[in-house]
Amino acid sequence: MKKTAILAASALLTFAAPATAQNLSNLRIMAPASPGGGWDQTSRAIQSGLQNQGIAKPVQVFNVPGAGGTIGLAQLYNSKGDSNLLMTMGLVMVGAIQTNSSKVDLSRVTPIARLTGEYEVIVVPASSPYKTLGDLAAAWKANPSLPFAGGSAGGTDHMLVGLFAKAAGVDPRKMNYVPFSGGGETLAAVLGNQVTAAVAGYGEFEAQIKAGKLRALGISAPKAQPGIPVATMKSQGFNVELANWRGIVAAPGLSSSEKGALVAAMDKLHASKEWKDTLKTRNWTDLYMSGSKFDVFLKLEATRTREILKDIGLVK
């Protein structure tokens, strides 16, 4: 009788124990964009880390491009209860959900973790008369039609220009934002003096800044960044902070233990030396946040993004 009770208790404990990061298998990570881009690179870095650290095997990455990631998001939503499916995403998707009037938003899926980020810089040609962010802001306020180049309309670059406009006293709806599909086109536009200033992640402009071809006037980080000799926008009197962050979410309808296992896997990956080396090699900023903190962050970020896009005039 006593032996039976012990066995029953043992079985109950085994059943109640949450899944651990070590027993994950057959994971699939969706990169909701074409191969080669930021979400694809992040997905494959996660894949490599999870497999090499023995956290999960095998791990497959596949691409579902289109509409700022919202096509992939809809596919993830329709995979309810699939605890083996993850999707890489980020701030660009938060904005695309709103500008594309997506029927599915991030409240419909399972948040797992925010992983990395890159802060934005505002640059001008080396020959520009604007030596400081204050100089640029004063000229912009006097002439709101000064052209700023950046990535796609409604994306992170566009959001930063909108935030800077507001901080500089320029009506964001009147600003002259010139969107380009790729960083190379943005770079060519500012180097060719076709625009007054340009915005992108620091990595896009790093070589030209170091070569003295571009002057970086400010970075959208909360504090000075190691290895990046650019003053923050905040330190220059403009209360602007924005990171082009990337994270990972899972399908809806997971149990608490299934979600816990995925969060534990990301926690373990983040703690590994391999992941730290990956961040260093790729110049990604560590913005790790997982579990309930990421849940709250996503809700706040959706609200903040909507306000920015409203100010710009891209959403009602």
Side-chain angles (χ1 to χ4, degrees), residues 228-250:
I228 301 179
V230 182
T232 66
M233 297 178 75
K234 281 189 170 183
S235 71
Q236 299 178 72
F238 300 94
N239 189 24
V240 176
E241 181 184 330
L242 189 70
N244 185 18
W245 58 267
R246 296 185 186 120
I248 198 151
V249 295

Side-chain angles (χ1 to χ4, degrees), residues 39-301:
W39 287 340
D40 181 69
Q41 290 175 30
T42 303
S43 299
R44 295 182 193 282
I46 294 168
Q47 174 193 38
S48 177
L50 289 175
Q51 291 187 143
N52 291 343
Q53 297 300 311
I55 299 169
K57 309 186 165 181
V59 180
Q60 174 196 355
V61 172
F62 64 101
N63 299 82
V64 181
T70 57
I71 292 175
L73 178 62
Q75 187 169 311
L76 183 71
Y77 173 69
N78 289 327
S79 302
K80 185 175 181 179
D82 186 348
S83 61
N84 291 325
L85 179 60
L86 296 166
M87 182 184 74
T88 303
M89 43 71 73
L91 178 59
V92 171
M93 182 179 288
V94 178
I97 287 167
Q98 300 181 41
T99 55
N100 290 318
S101 300
S102 173
K103 292 181 180 179
V104 180
D105 62 26
L106 292 165
S107 69
R108 305 287 192 93
V109 297
T110 304
I112 301 299
R114 183 180 71 179
L115 298 166
T116 67
E118 185 175 22
Y119 292 108
E120 302 268 291
V121 290
I122 297 176
V123 300
V124 294
S127 59
S128 170
Y130 310 122
K131 308 296 184 187
T132 69
L133 203 58
D135 292 343
L136 178 60
W140 198 17
K141 193 171 182 179
N143 180 11
S145 66
L146 291 181
F148 280 68
S152 59
T156 309
D157 303 342
H158 199 174
M159 286 188 224
L160 182 70
V161 178
L163 287 171
F164 179 38
K166 201 168 181 181
V170 175
D171 183 348
R173 289 174 182 259
K174 293 182 179 178
M175 67 188 191
N176 181 9
Y177 182 77
V178 184
F180 290 99
S181 60
E185 294 176 357
T186 301
L187 182 60
V190 68
L191 286 173
N193 289 291
Q194 297 167 26
V195 293
T196 301
V199 173
Y202 176 75
E204 297 272 3
F205 296 139
E206 183 177 17
Q208 286 71 28
I209 292 170
K210 288 182 175 178
K213 295 179 179 180
L214 292 176
R215 182 184 304 122
L217 301 184
I219 188 167
S220 63
K223 58 184 179 181
Q225 296 296 294
I228 301 179
V230 182
T232 66
M233 297 178 75
K234 281 189 170 183
S235 71
Q236 299 178 72
F238 300 94
N239 189 24
V240 176
E241 181 184 330
L242 189 70
N244 185 18
W245 58 267
R246 296 185 186 120
I248 198 151
V249 295
L254 303 191
S255 68
S256 58
S257 63
E258 287 171 332
K259 178 181 178 179
L262 293 171
V263 170
M266 291 302 125
D267 286 347
K268 188 169 184 182
L269 174 65
H270 174 253
S272 70
K273 182 181 182 299
E274 178 173 344
W275 185 254
K276 289 176 173 59
D277 289 343
T278 297
L279 295 176
K280 188 174 181 181
T281 301
R282 296 179 178 268
N283 288 319
W284 290 344
T285 300
D286 187 0
L287 294 179
Y288 194 73
M289 173 191 291
S290 66
S292 59
K293 286 184 178 179
F294 185 49
D295 293 14
V296 173
F297 170 80
L298 271 186
K299 291 173 184 174
L300 293 173
E301 195 75 337

